[in-house]
Amino acid sequence: MDTINEFFANFTEKKELIKLLLPLLKALIFFVAGHYLAKLIAKSVRMLMKRKNSAELLTNFIAQMTYAVAFSIALVAGLEILGLNISSILAVLGAMGLAIGLALKDSLSNFAAGIIISVLGPFRAGDFVEVAGLSGTVTDVTLFSTILTTTDNKLVTIPNNSIISDPITNYTAKPTRRVDITIGVSYNDDLRLVREILTDILESHPLILKDPAASVLLMDLADSSVNFACRPWVDKENYWGVRDDLLVSIKTKLEEAGCSIPYPQQDLNLYKVSSVGDASEAA
């Protein structure tokens, strides 16, 4: 009889223990299942955005936010199973979020700017840009900053908020670029000959594009020179090489044809002035 009573007593204790552990087990299942389900949803979103050729930064951010939202739902459901007061927890989290937001307002401003850069896509990694008064090749774009490598191989980190508040110039966004060169010649030179020489140089260069066609225009009758504008189009990767070739060729060809390229000059006239003493003696 004692054995039977002991069995039922232990059975009651085990039943209470199971009743206590069951919600915890259910909540744990929600957490684990929610984690894997959220990862699966985030992965699907990432693949979908990559198919649409979305920016990598935007793709990563949307995928991370999707995971956070999906897992938060599972987390809230698990906490409700445990019998916790969700409203109180959300109120505490909201107050903490407000305090953190006020403390990190500059960082959040950079974060918001990073989202704007991701959505608008004014540049990507590998582009040569001028932003916030600095120029260089974009090495990396994060949600808080943009990293440039300058032409002298310096690594510069620029807060995203500084970038969107100023004009952004992307030199390599388009496949072609126009080389603008202004050449001044003397008023005594034959302008038709100068135009022919400049046109021949542009037409004979192998890296200058035929479409759109290059142009040679008389731009200004300046104070000391007649200025021509040479405007050929090139592939963006050939810009600096073509510009260097043209400057050398133009100067050489014009000098060979007897034309001159004026440069600023000043005439200094010296006058001999008699001293005050000499002037009085002469009087």
Side-chain angles (χ1 to χ4, degrees):
M1 190 68 179
D2 293 337
T3 304
I4 296 175
N5 291 334
E6 184 179 352
F7 172 78
F8 280 104
N10 292 337
F11 178 77
T12 302
E13 292 177 359
K14 291 177 182 178
K15 185 177 180 180
E16 292 295 329
L17 181 61
I18 293 174
K19 186 178 180 180
L20 179 64
L21 293 178
L22 189 59
L24 186 60
L25 181 61
K26 288 181 179 180
L28 183 61
I29 292 174
F30 263 90
F31 295 155
V32 175
H35 167 70
Y36 286 104
L37 182 60
K39 286 185 65 176
L40 180 62
I41 296 174
K43 184 178 179 180
S44 301
V45 170
R46 187 187 299 273
M47 292 176 61
L48 180 62
M49 295 189 68
K50 284 185 176 180
R51 289 177 187 172
K52 295 183 177 181
N53 295 323
S54 300
E56 184 177 357
L57 180 63
L58 181 61
T59 299
N60 293 335
F61 174 71
I62 295 298
Q64 291 172 2
M65 290 300 296
T66 301
Y67 170 82
V69 171
F71 183 69
S72 296
I73 295 174
L75 183 63
V76 170
L79 293 176
E80 286 184 347
I81 291 175
L82 292 175
L84 299 177
N85 190 341
I86 304 300
S87 300
S88 300
I89 295 176
L90 292 178
V92 172
L93 292 177
M96 291 177 60
L98 179 61
I100 293 173
L102 293 174
L104 301 176
K105 60 179 181 179
D106 292 336
S107 297
L108 293 177
S109 177
N110 288 323
F111 176 80
I115 298 301
I116 294 174
I117 292 174
S118 301
V119 174
L120 298 180
F123 52 79
R124 296 189 178 187
D127 289 344
F128 188 87
V129 299
E130 183 177 345
V131 294
L134 298 170
S135 60
T137 302
V138 179
T139 302
D140 192 16
V141 182
T142 69
L143 287 174
F144 293 94
S145 62
T146 297
I147 301 174
L148 299 184
T149 301
T150 62
T151 52
D152 56 350
N153 206 32
K154 294 177 183 177
L155 208 62
V156 182
T157 301
I158 307 174
N160 286 333
N161 191 40
S162 300
I163 293 176
I164 64 169
S165 60
D166 289 333
I168 299 172
T169 303
N170 191 332
Y171 291 98
T172 54
K174 300 291 186 179
T176 59
R177 287 187 64 185
R178 192 180 75 183
V179 182
D180 290 343
I181 298 177
T182 300
I183 300 297
V185 296
S186 172
Y187 273 90
N188 298 325
D189 293 334
D190 185 344
L191 300 185
R192 291 188 179 88
L193 176 61
V194 173
R195 187 189 294 272
E196 290 176 3
I197 293 173
L198 296 178
T199 301
D200 180 66
I201 291 174
L202 298 185
E203 291 179 348
S204 62
H205 198 289
L207 297 180
I208 292 178
L209 302 177
K210 304 301 180 183
D211 185 22
S215 61
V216 177
L217 305 172
L218 199 159
M219 294 298 294
D220 296 303
L221 299 177
D223 293 337
S224 59
S225 65
V226 178
N227 295 333
F228 283 85
C230 298
R231 294 176 174 176
W233 289 84
V234 298
D235 293 328
K236 61 184 180 182
E237 60 270 16
N238 298 327
Y239 178 86
W240 290 110
V242 171
R243 181 180 173 84
D244 177 72
D245 291 345
L246 291 180
L247 290 174
V248 174
S249 298
I250 289 172
K251 183 177 186 301
T252 303
K253 297 292 185 182
L254 288 178
E255 289 178 346
E256 289 176 355
C259 301
S260 60
I261 300 177
Y263 53 88
Q265 301 182 57
Q266 289 183 343
D267 293 332
L268 183 62
N269 297 315
L270 300 177
Y271 297 95
K272 185 177 181 181
V273 180
S274 59
S275 64
V276 177
D278 294 338
S280 60
E281 291 177 1

